[in-house]
Structure formats: C-alpha cells, structure tokens
C-alpha cells in the first residue's frame, strides 16, 4: 500500500482528474485491483510480479484532516469510520481511521448504495475493533491484565 500525506491542492487535483469533483476531500483511494470482488485478493501472484502484491494508493489531505480535527462534531451513532471519526479532535487518530477507510476502498468496498455502505461499514467496524484492542494492549489494558 502506498500512503501519500499531502496538501488540499494535490487532493483537489486528483479528485478533479479521477472523480470529476473539483474540490478537496479527506481521503482518496486508488485500488490496483479494481476488477476483484470486495475483500478478494488476487488468486495467483507470480514471484517476480511485485505489482500483484500492491493493493494501491491512499492519498490523505493533511490540512483537510487538521481542519476537521479542530472542529469535532457531536458523537454520531452508527457504523463505520465516519461515525467513529466525527468526535475526534486528534489529527493522528483521524489519519489512522482514514487509512482504515482507504484500505477498505483498496479492497474494493464502496459506499455508493445503502447495501454497499452496510457491507463496507461492517468491515470498517471489525478493523476499528482490532485497532481498539491493539491500542488497549499498547497501554497495558489488554485482556487478562
């Protein structure tokens, strides 16, 4: 996975070029294997074909993330990264959640329809739970302590 932490201008340019939306956003994802079903991996990977191992690129606008972190919203109820991120005032935490969201897009999950949103949000929620467990273990709050 490639991760590019960049500017509003760079994200706006990419968003315009690839999505036809002339505005900045927090995260864009560019999957290398968009022909695969959501969550699927390539069946066969040649030893000499490193590109087959690359899921794609995630691009995050750091100024956009910082602006959102400076104005956290009320806690939203609901699934997925958007609800989990709304109350965060920490740029680092928001970036971590955007990487989860971007990774789901690299795995060809989307949220254009209600069904797609529910499927993607369920995957995000599993990744958010794994992140929370990992953070608790780092703080010494893991199970059995």
């Amino acid at each position: 996975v490639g991760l590019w932490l960049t500017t509003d201008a760079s994200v706006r340019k990419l968003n315009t070029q690839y999505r036809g939306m002339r505005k900045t956003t927090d995260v864009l994802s560019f999957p290398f294997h968009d022909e695969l079903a959501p969550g699927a991996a390539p069946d066969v990977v040649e030893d000499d074909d490193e590109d087959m191992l690359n899921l794609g690129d995630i691009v995050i606008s750091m100024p956009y993330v910082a602006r959102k972190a400076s104005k956290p919203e009320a806690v939203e109820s609901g699934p997925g990264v958007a609800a989990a991120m709304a109350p965060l005032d920490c740029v680092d935490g928001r970036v971590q959640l955007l990487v989860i969201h971007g990774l789901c897009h690299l795995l060809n999950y989307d949220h254009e329809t209600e069904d797609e949103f529910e499927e993607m949000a369920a995957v995000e929620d599993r990744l958010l739970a794994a992140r929370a467990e990992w953070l608790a273990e780092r703080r010494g709050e893991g199970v059995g302590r």
Side-chain angles (χ1 to χ4, degrees):
V1 172
L3 178 61
W4 185 16
L5 306 176
T6 189
T7 65
D8 281 341
S10 294
V11 170
R12 184 173 38 257
K13 182 178 178 180
L14 291 168
N15 207 18
T16 302
Q17 181 177 355
Y18 291 100
R19 298 180 67 222
M21 303 176 101
R22 191 172 166 76
K23 63 180 184 174
T24 193
T25 188
D26 50 4
V27 63
L28 294 172
S29 299
F30 298 95
F32 282 11
H33 304 286
D34 57 359
E35 74 283 358
L36 297 174
D43 289 336
V44 177
V45 177
E46 302 287 331
D47 288 340
D48 61 346
D49 190 359
E50 292 182 15
D51 286 342
M52 289 299 293
L53 298 174
N54 193 339
L55 292 178
D57 296 324
I58 300 171
V59 181
I60 296 175
S61 170
M62 294 304 292
Y64 190 101
V65 173
R67 282 193 304 278
K68 289 292 193 177
S70 73
K71 299 176 186 173
E73 301 169 16
V75 176
E76 291 184 24
S77 63
V81 163
M85 193 168 45
L88 291 182
D89 62 359
C90 170
V91 170
D92 291 346
R94 282 178 172 263
V95 168
Q96 291 172 23
L97 299 190
L98 289 171
V99 168
I100 289 172
H101 184 76
L103 182 59
C104 287
H105 278 301
L106 295 185
L107 293 169
N108 294 315
Y109 290 99
D110 211 336
H111 45 79
E112 294 296 317
T113 68
E114 187 64 31
D115 287 343
E116 288 176 341
F117 171 80
E118 289 176 9
E119 181 181 27
M120 183 170 176
V123 173
E124 288 178 342
D125 284 343
R126 287 194 305 271
L127 294 171
L128 289 167
R131 174 185 174 267
E133 184 178 315
W134 176 78
L135 288 171
E137 287 175 6
R138 284 188 65 202
R139 290 189 301 262
E141 301 168 8
V143 177
R145 291 186 189 232

